[in-house]
Amino acid sequence: MNYARMVIEKEAPEEYGYDRIRYNLSESSIADQKLSDIGLSLPDLTLFYGEHRGDRELRALVAAQDDGLTPDDVLVTAGAAGALFIIATSLLSASDHLVVVRPNYATNIETPRAIGCAISYVDLDFDAGFAVDIARVEASLRPNTKLISVTCPHNPTGTMMSRADLDALVALAESRQCHLLVDETYRDLSYGQRLPAAASLSRRAISVSSLSKAFGIPGIRVGWLVTRDAALQERFLAAKEQIGICGSVIDEGIARGVLERRDAFLETLLPEMARRRDIVQAWVDGEPLVDWVRPEGGVVGFPRLNVGAEFDLDRFYTRLLDDHGTYVGPGHWFEIPKRFFRVGFGWPKEAELRGGLEAISAALRD
């Protein structure tokens, strides 16, 4: 494995220093929660080796969200990142091929690169509403394609596939005897129709999610992958056991408590995040130098700067941070031109969100 640090991690706000940022619009989750915020306290647990597949009650809570899934279809991992690493290293080798819909979460690209497999990219188009082009995905497939990788709701654009497009990708994976990976980390933050977990639709589909983004508890490092292919799940379990045997029983105990309160939590959260999205929409509507595709899920969007070639993008980002204390996720984090940037509207307080948006406008006119 030829590891290289991901740009999005090298330039993460925790690397730069939170104390140097006044308006942090770069985060891709809701605000970080405390145990007291979500009405939980640390349970009195025996600190033993937990179940290798993950706490069974936790897996049952995940499986219960979709018809046709059982706790045995769920493997608890160290966040979604741990799940994605297990999937890539279990399914891909240097002689294999992967199709990635880009932009995508960095791990879905960098881990396959470290493995050395061939990668074809299907880049989303702003002018097409960042919609997945199924025909281009199909045209990119090769005889040695092992995996198609997508995210939905999409990171960083916040757009969503239609049910028809999801079904078409599933059918492609089945007909070409490869696997479909759907990173569903934002699925609980869908503002309209909530798509079914891809894994519930086919043994060829693998779903990944976590509690980091929609529930604001990345510190407990709990995610999961779901597949109805028992043999493949056993392979994923073998990878998990060789990496870390099992997860933390403390983390999984907290995660179980959170998912037991899931519906009540989301009932309050979703309207608030929709209102935050409207704040950004109002700013975009009044800012002629910025446009975006309105997100349908998640707490991030991917605006485009309507500037010419003479506009100094590097200087813009430098002044935005140094002079205005505002941090966003520039396009190069996602291997996309720097005239795009990711803006997170779920993590900052409302006043900070508004202040950061005003700072972007000010920096554009500097």
Side-chain angles (χ1 to χ4, degrees):
M1 299 280 285
N2 184 23
Y3 290 110
R5 288 197 72 197
M6 296 177 285
V7 175
I8 193 172
E9 302 302 346
K10 288 195 291 185
E11 298 181 10
E14 56 266 27
E15 292 285 300
Y16 180 76
Y18 285 109
D19 58 325
R20 301 171 65 187
I21 302 170
R22 184 179 181 189
Y23 303 124
N24 184 5
L25 308 189
S26 71
E27 302 289 354
S28 57
S29 67
I30 69 166
D32 297 328
Q33 305 292 298
K34 297 178 182 178
L35 286 173
S36 57
D37 294 333
I38 51 182
L40 293 177
S41 58
L42 281 175
D44 185 17
L45 297 168
T46 301
L47 303 180
F48 61 160
Y49 284 109
E51 294 185 61
H52 293 194
R53 291 171 174 79
D55 177 86
R56 185 168 182 83
E57 292 181 21
L58 173 59
R59 291 186 286 122
L61 288 165
V62 172
Q65 296 178 28
D66 292 274
D67 293 336
L69 297 180
T70 72
D72 289 340
D73 299 326
V74 180
L75 180 68
V76 179
T77 59
L84 297 173
F85 184 85
I86 286 171
I87 293 165
T89 54
S90 298
L91 292 180
L92 300 172
S93 69
S95 61
D96 294 322
H97 174 249
L98 161 73
V99 176
V100 176
V101 173
R102 187 173 61 176
N104 206 309
Y105 184 62
T107 299
N108 286 322
I109 296 174
E110 292 298 343
T111 304
R113 280 182 179 155
I115 292 168
C117 67
I119 307 175
S120 294
Y121 301 102
V122 176
D123 289 334
L124 300 178
D125 183 1
F126 179 94
D127 294 319
F130 291 129
V132 177
D133 189 328
I134 305 298
R136 287 183 58 207
V137 172
E138 182 173 15
S140 300
L141 297 176
R142 302 177 186 175
N144 65 332
T145 301
K146 289 290 184 68
L147 191 63
I148 302 168
S149 176
V150 301
T151 72
C152 184
H154 187 255
N155 184 3
T157 70
T159 55
M160 287 183 64
M161 290 186 287
S162 65
R163 175 61 191 271
D165 284 346
L166 176 58
D167 288 341
L169 288 174
V170 168
L172 265 183
E174 291 179 338
S175 66
R176 302 299 283 268
Q177 296 294 291
C178 62
H179 287 94
L180 171 66
L181 166 61
V182 184
D183 184 335
E184 301 170 349
T185 301
Y186 289 115
R187 189 166 71 112
D188 278 322
L189 286 176
S190 300
Y191 300 115
Q193 178 192 22
R194 181 176 180 267
L195 290 173
S200 70
L201 304 177
S202 171
R203 285 165 51 87
R204 283 283 168 183
I206 306 165
S207 295
V208 167
S209 192
S210 81
L211 296 176
S212 298
K213 306 298 186 185
F215 294 88
I217 47 175
I220 68 168
R221 307 312 303 138
V222 169
W224 53 85
L225 62 84
V226 185
T227 175
R228 288 164 46 209
D229 185 330
L232 185 61
Q233 187 66 281
E234 192 75 3
R235 193 168 164 190
F236 291 154
L237 174 59
K240 177 186 176 180
E241 289 173 330
Q242 291 179 45
I243 293 169
I245 304 176
C246 64
S248 159
V249 295
I250 295 175
D251 289 358
E252 291 181 8
I254 295 171
R256 185 175 65 247
V258 168
L259 285 187
E260 287 171 346
R261 296 161 172 78
R262 171 183 171 274
D263 291 346
F265 182 81
L266 292 175
E267 185 178 357
T268 301
L269 179 70
L270 277 166
E272 172 61 18
M273 293 303 104
R275 192 178 67 83
R276 299 287 195 90
R277 179 183 57 164
D278 289 342
I279 291 172
V280 184
Q281 182 69 63
W283 171 73
V284 169
D285 291 342
E287 177 48 75
L289 296 181
V290 178
D291 200 0
W292 78 339
V293 176
R294 183 177 171 88
E296 298 172 312
V299 288
V300 293
F302 206 48
R304 179 178 67 180
L305 297 176
N306 299 320
V307 295
E310 73 284 355
F311 187 87
D312 190 335
L313 288 163
D314 289 329
R315 185 166 178 261
F316 161 72
Y317 285 115
T318 297
R319 296 200 67 166
L320 179 64
L321 183 56
D322 291 349
D323 297 350
H324 299 278
T326 300
Y327 208 40
V328 296
H332 71 265
W333 282 10
F334 308 95
E335 303 185 352
I336 296 296
K338 290 182 180 179
R339 65 184 297 217
F340 293 90
F341 62 92
R342 187 180 72 184
V343 59
F345 51 85
W347 191 87
K349 296 178 180 178
E350 182 179 330
E352 295 168 344
L353 173 61
R354 292 183 183 275
L357 296 174
E358 292 170 4
I360 296 171
S361 292
L364 282 169
R365 285 161 181 78
D366 284 345

